[in-house]
Amino acid sequence: ETGVTQTPRHLVMGMTNKKSLKCEQHLGHNAMYWYKQSAKKPLELMFVYNFKEQTENNSVPSRFSPECPNSSHLFLHLHTLQPEDSALYLCASSQDPRTSGKETQYFGPGTRLLVL
Amino acid sequence: GIQVEQSPPDLILQEGANSTLRCNFSDSVNNLQWFHQNPWGQLINLFYIPSGTKQNGRLSATTVATERYSLLYISSSQTTDSGVYFCAVETFSGGYNKLIFGAGTRLAVHP
């Protein structure tokens, strides 16, 4: 239990569906992150939110749409995904990403997504 | 960008054996972390180690920042140590910390 929760844990969706992934952190952190982990590839950073403002969009296709209503919650809205988007999506949080070299990131358990 | 290389990619051990995992990185970094990903996907922080040596039970880690590598030692391995071990280096760009992960070492410990 890292203090970061994600729902759902597993998701199967068709290419025409719309779904959302949810992340919640109970650590009092100010920054939240979405990562994608595909088979046999390193974790890739997708989005960073710092104090509810998006500070990074790592060339992610527009079919992925993040939302951060407050510093404790982060969503990833999915629509018209492709089979190659099947992956483990991990959420993380940290105290303050502007503090260089002082804050570690804590990860949620991930949502395993399968796009048919 | 910074390259992070981990070796070996795969490792099979008999329970009780010791092992060393290596992480090389191509440029100066602010920090380095080791994670363990269990078979269910959960990433657990093991060490936050910009330099020096730290120990936590059967695990220890050493980072030599000047030579751009870090080592993770697992002693008296147990089946519960199985999973993927990731090294991630931390850089500060665009006003925030960014973790860059290696490809991982997949460890299987057999009874």
Side-chain angles (χ1 to χ4, degrees):
Chain A
E1 198 51 56
T2 62
V4 182
T5 58
Q6 289 186 243
T7 55
R9 294 295 307 277
H10 301 272
L11 180 61
V12 180
M13 60 186 288
M15 288 189 285
T16 58
N17 292 156
K18 289 184 180 181
K19 297 286 184 184
S20 295
L21 310 185
K22 180 182 176 182
C23 176
E24 184 174 358
Q25 58 95 0
H26 312 274
L27 301 169
H29 289 165
N30 298 313
M32 298 185 78
Y33 311 77
W34 279 117
Y35 289 85
K36 176 183 179 182
Q37 187 178 23
S38 304
K40 312 214 178 210
K41 289 174 76 174
L43 274 81
E44 303 169 69
L45 179 65
M46 300 174 71
F47 300 104
V48 180
Y49 274 84
N50 181 23
F51 291 93
K52 301 186 294 178
E53 291 185 14
Q54 187 181 124
T55 56
E56 174 85 351
N57 176 340
N58 212 20
S59 303
V60 179
S62 59
R63 57 186 183 269
F64 295 91
S65 174
E67 179 191 359
C68 188
N70 54 63
S71 56
S72 299
H73 294 86
L74 183 66
F75 296 89
L76 187 62
H77 304 300
L78 316 171
H79 64 98
T80 59
L81 294 192
Q82 305 298 310
E84 60 264 29
D85 296 323
S86 299
L88 180 67
Y89 289 85
L90 291 159
C91 172
S93 70
S94 71
Q95 184 59 269
D96 184 348
R98 300 168 302 175
T99 307
S100 174
K102 295 181 183 177
E103 299 296 341
T104 191
Q105 292 181 24
Y106 293 87
F107 284 79
T111 294
R112 200 166 291 279
L113 174 66
L114 177 62
V115 182
L116 302 175
Chain B
I2 292 178
Q3 304 298 313
V4 182
E5 295 182 357
Q6 291 187 243
S7 60
D10 296 279
L11 186 59
I12 299 175
L13 296 176
Q14 207 67 31
E15 201 167 26
N18 303 327
S19 63
T20 301
L21 283 58
R22 187 177 179 101
C23 173
N24 292 332
F25 44 98
S26 61
D27 205 346
S28 300
V29 297
N30 293 328
N31 216 322
L32 184 143
Q33 295 182 46
W34 283 98
F35 293 88
H36 174 223
Q37 188 172 39
N38 66 24
W40 297 272
Q42 176 72 66
L43 272 170
I44 302 295
N45 306 67
L46 296 177
F47 293 101
Y48 185 76
I49 182 167
S51 64
T53 297
K54 290 186 178 179
Q55 179 149 10
N56 184 2
R58 296 181 295 104
L59 302 182
S60 64
T62 295
T63 297
V64 184
T66 52
E67 297 186 24
R68 300 181 185 164
Y69 74 88
S70 184
L71 302 174
L72 178 70
Y73 306 95
I74 305 175
S75 64
S76 304
S77 58
Q78 300 177 358
T79 56
T80 51
D81 295 331
S82 297
V84 185
Y85 289 81
F86 289 102
C87 161
V89 299
E90 191 175 285
T91 62
F92 193 75
S93 69
Y96 67 94
N97 286 324
K98 185 173 180 176
L99 281 180
I100 299 172
F101 284 79
T105 292
R106 186 173 298 276
L107 173 66
V109 181
H110 296 308

